[in-house]
Each structure stands twice: as structure tokens, then as C-alpha cells.
Amino acid sequence: MAPAPKFPGVAPDGMLACSYFPIQGDIMYDFMLSPEEQELKLEVRRFVREEISSEFLRKMDNNEITYPREFVEKLAAKGLFGIRFPKQYGGREMSWVAEVAAGEEIGCLGMALGCAFVMPSIVGEALNVFGTAAQKEKYLKPYLEGKLVAAEALTEPRGGSDFFGAMTRAEPKGDHFILNGMKRFVVGAEGADFFLVYCKTNFEPNAHKYGRLSLLIVEKGPGVETEYLYGLMGCRGGGTGRLVFRDVKVPQENLVGELHGGALCFNQMMIPERLTSAAGCLGVWGALDLAVRYSNKRRAFGKEIRKYQAVNSKIADSITQLDAARSLCYMAARAVDENYPHVRRIVSEAKRFTTEIAWDVVNNAMQVMGGIGYTDVYPLERALRDTRLGMIWTGTSEIMNLLIQHEYYGQVLDPAYDRRMMENDAMNPDNSERCFTDGDMQLVFGEGI
């Protein structure tokens, strides 16, 4: 029997061989990045591969490390903090697209280290946009240099998503505030040197909810106590705890932005909060890659399990889902860079979609690997525990849906909206049948209705 003809790039099973398309790593996505952004992504990739040991990750997950200060200092030494911020404060003055690319690489290390990586982007956003020159020199610059560590304090025991109902209070007393209250789920409660704290400063009974709060820089010191460290399902080693403030004296110059202007700061900070959450969850490429390598080696019934449709369909689904999430994240990043007017909706979409896709991808990877994936012989169980948090923190999926639909309704119902109205294209556009209110009925049928 004559041998089958050989064609360049065609494998024995008739599939196109990878050698036909010489793809290395994820070079297929580089068209979305500028040369400078590509260089940064490769730099972060090397850092993740060479600077962070597996033993360090194991200690984090085993709660042997309370806060990963060593990790923070290594990042700062490489100039990987504050990617978007001015060079005069230690940043690189790069784009949001660059930050998402970096976050995707860091994300494979898990939620806790991912959070430590992006916290300067979140805290730094408030300091860079609303802070005074003195605040930037005193806090932002040493933070980006790795000399200080910061955290944000938002959530209170009485409510999570009801942010503007915060009860932590700061009462003006001469040249300072007296701060009293409590914040929970503070990542870095143990380990941070200063905190950005949202607190009530407007005590007028009829004050609008958006005019009640202020944002203060609060240094760790007398009256600032970490009274509880949470036992977490995942995201361990990040020093997540409850902060209690008892008669803390906070200088007036530590007010960020305007007095009672905390809502404006909060809305600005939610962009990095949510977009970095999305970018970090792209790091589940690590779990997908693990399942790919495993399914290429594991044999059952005489062949590699990747050759069974039940397995390779899950891999295909995960690849497609992750690419879709990646596309949405990079679109959101570009939207922020271009100051797109509907950026809050796009960022909310990226956060909700990517965190949910990450959960699916890790679950698919575990299903492909079967029982061994459920053990600690592989780190998938850690990835599963970590990833579950993505759909809760920085705004739940339900809150993201609330924002998404609200913004889109506003966009479509705006009188200035100028796209074609599909309802006019009906075969029988009978307005008498389009009665939505009592007023519509009266216009059609008269006052007798």
C-alpha cells in the first residue's frame, strides 16, 4: 500500500500540524498590544516564572505567610508597581491595556498575590487623581517603591453592597478628624502601613447618600487595630481581616479629595477595582494549560484522553470562553484609555463575565483531570477555591448586572440616541396595538376607557 502523501503542516491524522503555523506562547494575542506593551508582558512573564517559587505559593495557601511583603518588594524592585502612574512617583506612565496584560500573567499565581499586585493600582488611583502633591510624595511614591504597603477599607459588617450606608464616622475636631468604626474583609489589614478609609463625615439627617462620605488616609498606629483575621476558603496569605478604629486622630491634610466627596473617589476607584479583578481572573490560563498537558499524557482505553470528544470538547469550550473574556477585558481597558463615555458599563461587563468564565474554566479543567484533580497532588483545588471569590469581591455578579442594565437603558432611552429603531420595521406597525399605559389606551379609544 502506497504511503499517504506528505503535505507541509499536515499531521498523520489529517489535522493541520502546529509546525505549519509556528506559534510560540500566546503570540497570537500580540496584535492587541503595542511593542512596549508586549515587552512589559514578557517582563512580567519572566518575573512570574523565575522569581516566585512553588514553595512560596504553598506557604501562602497554608497560612504560613500572613502578608506577602517579600512579593511586594520584589515587584517594586523590578518597577512593576504603578504601571499606569507618573514616572516622578515611580510608575511607568503606561496604558490600561498594559496593566491588563501584566495582570493576566500575574493571575496564575492566585488571588492573594494578584490582589497584592493590583492594590497599588486601586489605592494609587485615588491618590493620583484626587490626592494633593504632598500626599503623592508622602504616600504614593514610597508605595510604588515598595517602602510602604497600603490597603483599602470599604466594607462594613452591617452591609457589603450597601456601600453608601457606611457607619464608620470621622468627626472634624480642629485640625484633625476623630475616626471611629469598623471595616471588614480588608485585604492587607495585617501587613499594610496605611489605609484608604471611607467614612461618614456629613451627619445631616437629609444629606444625599452621595454626599455623606469622605475618603481619609489612615496610618497604622494607635487606635487602629486588626482584631480578626479571616479563615478563608481561598485567597490565603493576604492578611485579610477586620479593622477597628477607636478615637483615631487623622490629620485634616489626610483628606483625599473634597470633604463629603467620597462618592466621587469611590466611582473612580471602582474602575481599577473591577478591571483588575477581571484581568487577574484571566490567569486561569494556568489551569487550562495544566489540563491540556495532563490530557495529552493520560491514557485510557488505549489512547490519550485528549482524543475523546467528551474531553476535548471541554478544552475547546474553555479556550473559547477564555478568549471571549480576554477580548472583553482588553476592550474595557482600551475604553478606559480612550475615556469612553460608557466605560462603567463595559468595565462591569468585563468583571462579571471574566470572573464567571474563570470559574467555568477551572471546573472544566478539574473535570478533565478527574479524581486526581480533586486532590492536592495538583493545584487545581487551590485554583478552584481562589476563583470562587472573583464573583463576590469588588462587586458581586448581581451588582454588576444592575450596573450594566442601568447604564444601557440610559444609553438607549437617551433622546440623543441616533441608531435605527427596529420597531418601525414591523410588517404591520399598528400603533393602536402598542398600548403600554392608560394614557396610550385613552389616546386610541377615547376618554370612555
Side-chain angles (χ1 to χ4, degrees), residues 433-445:
E433 283 299 311
R434 296 177 178 179
C435 296
F436 305 110
T437 68
D438 292 346
D440 292 336
M441 292 284 285
Q442 289 172 354
L443 285 173
V444 175
F445 299 104

Side-chain angles (χ1 to χ4, degrees), residues 7 40 74 155 190 209 360 365 375 380 401 429:
F7 298 98
L40 173 71
K74 283 185 176 183
T155 305
E190 189 68 33
K209 65 179 181 178
D360 288 345
T375 73
L380 273 181
N401 277 344

Side-chain angles (χ1 to χ4, degrees), residues 288 313-323 360-361 364-365:
L288 174 58
S313 288
K314 287 193 178 298
I315 297 295
D317 286 345
S318 294
I319 295 166
T320 304
Q321 288 177 300
L322 194 51
D323 275 347
D360 288 345
V361 169
N364 279 346

Side-chain angles (χ1 to χ4, degrees), residues 122-124 126-127 150-154 194-198 215-218 254 256 269:
I122 299 166
V123 171
L127 295 176
E152 58 171 346
L154 288 84
F194 70 94
F195 305 93
L196 286 190
V197 181
Y198 286 92
L215 181 60
L216 297 180
I217 301 169
V218 181
N254 280 24
V256 180
M269 288 175 72

Side-chain angles (χ1 to χ4, degrees), residues 156-192:
E156 296 189 0
R158 58 162 298 284
S161 297
D162 184 17
F163 170 74
F164 292 107
M167 298 302 292
T168 295
R169 30 191 308 134
E171 300 183 51
K173 296 288 183 182
D175 63 351
H176 61 273
F177 296 92
I178 297 296
L179 177 67
N180 283 282
M182 186 185 303
K183 298 288 183 177
R184 72 179 349 174
F185 305 144
V186 178
V187 181
E190 189 68 33

Side-chain angles (χ1 to χ4, degrees), residues 59-373:
K59 286 183 177 180
M60 288 277 294
D61 196 45
N62 204 35
N63 282 319
E64 295 175 38
I65 294 173
T66 304
Y67 184 81
R69 190 127 195 170
E70 175 188 342
F71 173 73
V72 168
E73 291 171 352
K74 283 185 176 183
L75 282 168
K78 297 287 186 180
L80 294 175
F81 265 174
I83 289 169
R84 298 180 293 109
F85 300 129
K87 291 180 180 178
Q88 70 181 101
Y89 301 118
R92 295 199 182 193
E93 295 186 16
M94 295 183 70
S95 64
W96 256 111
V97 171
E99 180 146 332
V100 167
E104 179 178 355
E105 294 296 322
I106 292 283
C108 72
L109 297 174
M111 282 283 193
L113 292 185
C115 188
F117 170 68
V118 303
M119 191 56 67
S121 181
I122 299 166
V123 171
E125 183 78 5
L127 295 176
N128 189 54
V129 175
F130 301 102
T132 64
Q135 288 171 346
K136 293 175 187 179
E137 284 292 335
K138 184 175 181 181
Y139 296 104
L140 180 59
K141 187 175 181 180
Y143 187 19
L144 301 187
E145 292 172 343
K147 297 174 182 176
L148 293 177
V149 169
E152 58 171 346
L154 288 84
T155 305
E156 296 189 0
R158 58 162 298 284
S161 297
D162 184 17
F163 170 74
F164 292 107
M167 298 302 292
T168 295
R169 30 191 308 134
E171 300 183 51
K173 296 288 183 182
D175 63 351
H176 61 273
F177 296 92
I178 297 296
L179 177 67
N180 283 282
M182 186 185 303
K183 298 288 183 177
R184 72 179 349 174
F185 305 144
V186 178
V187 181
E190 189 68 33
D193 301 299
F194 70 94
F195 305 93
L196 286 190
V197 181
Y198 286 92
C199 45
K200 189 174 182 179
T201 53
N202 188 344
F203 306 104
E204 292 294 329
N206 298 322
H208 192 280
K209 65 179 181 178
Y210 294 153
R212 295 173 186 162
L213 305 183
S214 296
L215 181 60
L216 297 180
I217 301 169
V218 181
E219 296 184 14
K220 194 72 177 283
V224 181
E225 300 293 336
T226 304
E227 293 201 345
Y228 187 84
L229 288 178
Y230 293 100
L232 300 178
M233 175 180 172
C235 197
R236 297 171 180 169
T240 303
R242 182 176 67 219
L243 280 177
V244 178
F245 309 104
R246 294 189 176 90
D247 294 327
V248 182
K249 292 182 68 173
V250 182
Q252 287 273 2
E253 59 262 29
N254 280 24
L255 173 68
V256 180
E258 299 292 330
L259 183 66
H260 315 322
L264 187 62
C265 299
F266 174 79
N267 284 334
Q268 183 70 29
M269 288 175 72
M270 285 305 100
I271 293 173
E273 275 261 9
R274 289 162 180 166
L275 190 46
T276 56
S277 291
C281 281
L282 292 177
V284 295
W285 58 261
L288 174 58
D289 288 2
L290 170 56
V292 165
R293 286 188 289 267
Y294 180 88
S295 63
N296 191 51
K297 292 180 179 178
R298 176 80 163 92
R299 293 176 64 85
F301 306 104
K303 60 183 179 181
E304 294 82 6
I305 63 172
R306 64 170 288 195
K307 294 180 180 177
Y308 292 101
Q309 187 175 5
V311 170
N312 60 42
S313 288
K314 287 193 178 298
I315 297 295
D317 286 345
S318 294
I319 295 166
T320 304
Q321 288 177 300
L322 194 51
D323 275 347
R326 182 178 285 114
S327 301
L328 189 50
C329 284
Y330 279 95
M331 182 177 75
R334 183 59 56 84
V336 182
D337 284 333
E338 299 295 330
N339 198 27
Y340 179 63
H342 303 291
V343 69
R344 191 167 74 154
R345 171 172 64 83
I346 301 298
V347 168
S348 298
E349 289 174 27
K351 194 274 176 182
R352 198 216 76 184
F353 186 75
T354 307
T355 54
E356 292 180 356
I357 288 307
W359 176 248
D360 288 345
V361 169
V362 175
N363 271 286
N364 279 346
M366 185 170 284
Q367 197 69 19
V368 165
M369 294 180 66
I372 197 67

Side-chain angles (χ1 to χ4, degrees), residues 5-20:
K6 295 181 180 179
F7 298 98
V10 178
D13 59 3
M15 298 291 286
L16 285 174
C18 290
S19 59
Y20 189 75

